[in-house]
Amino acid sequence: MFPTQFTGASFTWEQVKLGDVAEITPGGTPSKNISDYWYPKEIPWLSSGEINKEIIFSTNDMISKKGFNNSSAKWINQNSVLIALAGQGKTRGKVAINRIPLTTNQSIAGIDPSDEIYYKFLYHQLTKDYLKLRLISSGDGSRGGLNKKLLNDYAVNLSGIDEQHKIGVLLSHIDNTLQLHEDHLQFLHSFKSFLLQKMFFDNDIPPLLRFNKFTEKWNQCKLNDHTIVTMGQSPNSKNYTNNQTGKILVQGNADLYKNKILKRVFTTEVTKTAVKNDILISVRAPVGDIARNQYESVVIGRGIASIKGNDFLYYQLEKMKNNGFWNKYIAGSTFESITGKDLKNTKIYTTNSDEERKIGNIFSSLTKIIQLQEHKIDSLKKLKQFLLQNMFI
């Protein structure tokens, strides 16, 4: 299969051994028992766990010149492709680009490309081949490792150097855009966490951030005094159905949809009961996790209750969950949960409806922005994956 080509590309792709177009250099580790090998810190030294940075501008560790001279560590030129030869979990086969000259441990090899291959093109081709590289690793497939011989013999497909530049630069632009969006997403999450801590009571300390003109004191009450708490029921229970139309029934221990749990909403499916408009929601989630459904209720894990509430209550509960509030109420050994009594007696804070509405709206809007940002990132990742699969042989 030949890839989609850039306009004007006429070079016939050819397959070559990686060792014929690049110099492969494994690293080494100075003895940890000799402090002079590690002090003074003079030479950047990369460990295999850092390969996940993908673009290396600095290293967590450094070695001394004496350590370099008394080990198998070797200099790797700037703008080489680094590959993890071994490592825990998913590390083996991961690649990165070093923006600085550095040395590495023995679990990383530097691939210094010749003039025949553009380093960004090689980086993206090896990224595409991640699973293939793991399969050729020596060993049993889970504890095995790559080595210099395997990499020297590894077949790579090359187009003309001009087309390599275009492919490498395009995919790197997507990577840079992804990084910017991911950094922005991290900022949004941090900003939301900051506001949650400052706009709600925190360990009986009044909120530090409030909207203008709202100065009245917040009130403390029990959750059951402020809203309706409905305990979860089993579908086999005699009181499974209820004559109150529109009632939300939460099934805490059932496994109906345990494989369809989403991050923000526990399940996308509901089951209607015999009574019109009654809804059964099957929930399997960690203690304290919360979600909202289309009926404006808040479900709190492990699915023991449905709480009639608003955005203000939802985000107050989210803040409590993030702070580990529910940990002290966990009961049960085989199936951890919060008891109905503890839940109903949980202390919350309220203010006037206008302030609650404003606080709820700001967090609801921020959540939507976060979800939009996550969607952008997901779309960019899908675009990159499509291009990786269609721009290489």
Side-chain angles (χ1 to χ4, degrees):
M1 175 181 175
F2 287 92
T4 301
Q5 291 185 317
F6 283 96
T7 302
S10 59
F11 185 88
T12 301
W13 287 55
E14 62 177 352
Q15 189 174 88
V16 299
K17 290 183 178 181
L18 183 57
D20 292 338
V21 292
E23 180 68 28
I24 299 170
T25 307
T29 303
S31 173
K32 298 279 188 178
N33 297 322
I34 303 177
S35 61
D36 287 350
Y37 290 178
W38 296 87
Y39 300 97
K41 296 182 176 297
E42 299 170 306
I43 297 173
W45 183 83
L46 191 77
S47 62
S48 54
E50 296 181 81
I51 204 83
N52 291 309
K53 294 178 181 177
E54 296 183 356
I55 306 296
I56 311 298
F57 291 98
S58 63
T59 60
N60 293 342
D61 293 307
M62 300 186 80
I63 61 176
S64 68
K65 293 178 181 177
K66 188 174 182 179
F68 176 82
N69 292 329
N70 288 275
S71 72
S72 55
K74 298 177 181 64
W75 278 108
I76 296 173
N77 292 330
Q78 178 181 351
N79 292 335
S80 293
V81 177
L82 309 174
I83 183 166
L85 305 176
Q88 297 296 321
K90 299 179 180 180
T91 301
R92 188 178 80 255
K94 288 278 188 178
V95 290
I97 292 174
N98 59 308
R99 293 300 193 194
I100 59 170
L102 48 71
T103 62
T104 73
N105 70 9
Q106 63 274 13
S107 295
I108 297 176
I111 307 173
D112 188 7
S114 68
D115 294 338
E116 298 178 60
I117 183 167
Y118 182 46
Y119 72 97
K120 289 183 179 178
F121 175 87
L122 177 61
Y123 166 76
H124 291 294
Q125 183 166 168
L126 295 181
T127 297
K128 179 185 80 74
D129 289 352
Y130 169 71
L131 293 178
K132 185 178 176 182
L133 286 163
R134 290 178 68 86
L135 285 174
I136 69 167
S137 301
S138 58
D140 61 9
S142 60
R143 296 178 178 271
L146 294 164
N147 55 52
K148 184 174 181 177
K149 183 179 185 308
L150 285 172
L151 291 176
N152 273 327
D153 293 337
Y154 187 74
V156 292
N157 298 293
L158 302 185
S159 65
I161 194 66
D162 290 340
E163 187 175 10
Q164 288 183 39
H165 272 269
K166 290 182 178 181
I167 293 173
V169 168
L170 171 63
L171 291 170
S172 292
H173 279 326
I174 294 176
D175 280 344
N176 293 338
T177 304
L178 259 173
Q179 187 61 57
L180 288 173
H181 280 297
E182 288 173 344
D183 290 345
H184 185 51
L185 178 62
Q186 183 60 47
F187 166 78
L188 289 171
H189 279 299
S190 298
F191 183 55
K192 180 182 176 182
S193 296
F194 170 80
L195 291 182
L196 284 172
Q197 297 302 317
K198 301 300 181 182
M199 297 188 75
F200 289 99
F201 262 76
D202 186 30
N203 293 325
D204 296 329
I205 299 174
L208 299 178
L209 289 178
R210 299 185 70 176
F211 289 99
N212 290 335
K213 300 180 181 180
F214 293 110
T215 58
E216 65 184 78
K217 184 178 179 181
W218 285 31
N219 300 311
Q220 183 186 109
C221 65
K222 294 178 181 179
L223 183 61
N224 201 43
D225 294 334
H226 183 68
T227 184
I228 300 172
V229 179
T230 304
M231 304 310 296
Q233 301 179 48
S234 167
N236 296 321
S237 174
K238 292 181 180 179
N239 63 352
Y240 168 55
T241 58
N242 191 290
N243 291 328
Q244 298 176 355
T245 59
K247 183 178 178 62
I248 308 296
L249 302 179
V250 180
Q251 179 184 350
N253 298 331
D255 294 327
L256 290 177
Y257 306 117
K258 68 179 181 180
N259 295 322
K260 298 181 181 180
I261 298 169
L262 301 180
K263 180 180 180 182
R264 291 291 303 168
V265 181
F266 295 151
T267 177
T268 56
E269 298 189 34
V270 295
T271 301
K272 288 193 175 182
T273 69
V275 176
K276 183 180 179 180
N277 292 331
D278 273 16
I279 302 295
L280 171 69
I281 302 176
S282 178
V283 178
R284 300 282 287 182
V287 172
D289 269 16
I290 55 176
R292 290 173 295 184
N293 58 39
Q294 64 268 42
Y295 299 93
E296 297 182 353
S297 289
V298 178
V299 182
I300 189 163
R302 281 194 179 211
I304 67 166
S306 170
I307 305 166
K308 187 67 175 178
N310 52 23
D311 283 341
F312 174 82
L313 174 61
Y314 176 84
Y315 289 107
Q316 185 171 177
L317 290 170
E318 180 175 318
K319 184 253 183 185
M320 293 162 65
K321 182 255 181 183
N322 292 345
N323 286 2
F325 175 85
W326 301 109
N327 294 342
K328 57 187 175 184
Y329 294 109
I330 292 176
S333 55
T334 57
F335 186 81
E336 295 180 342
S337 64
I338 309 167
T339 67
K341 179 180 178 181
D342 286 335
L343 183 64
K344 291 179 180 180
N345 289 329
T346 294
K347 181 173 61 178
I348 62 169
Y349 294 89
T350 63
T351 181
N352 68 70
S353 59
D354 288 338
E355 187 174 13
E356 287 189 0
R357 190 178 303 110
K358 280 183 172 291
I359 292 173
N361 286 342
I362 194 171
F363 282 106
S364 180
S365 298
L366 186 53
T367 298
K368 289 177 182 177
I369 293 172
I370 288 173
Q371 291 171 341
L372 178 61
Q373 191 68 13
E374 290 172 337
H375 177 71
K376 289 179 181 178
I377 290 171
D378 184 61
S379 297
L380 280 169
K381 287 181 177 179
K382 288 178 180 177
L383 172 61
K384 179 184 176 183
Q385 190 60 35
F386 172 82
L387 293 176
L388 283 173
Q389 296 303 319
N390 288 276
M391 299 189 77
F392 295 92
I393 292 179

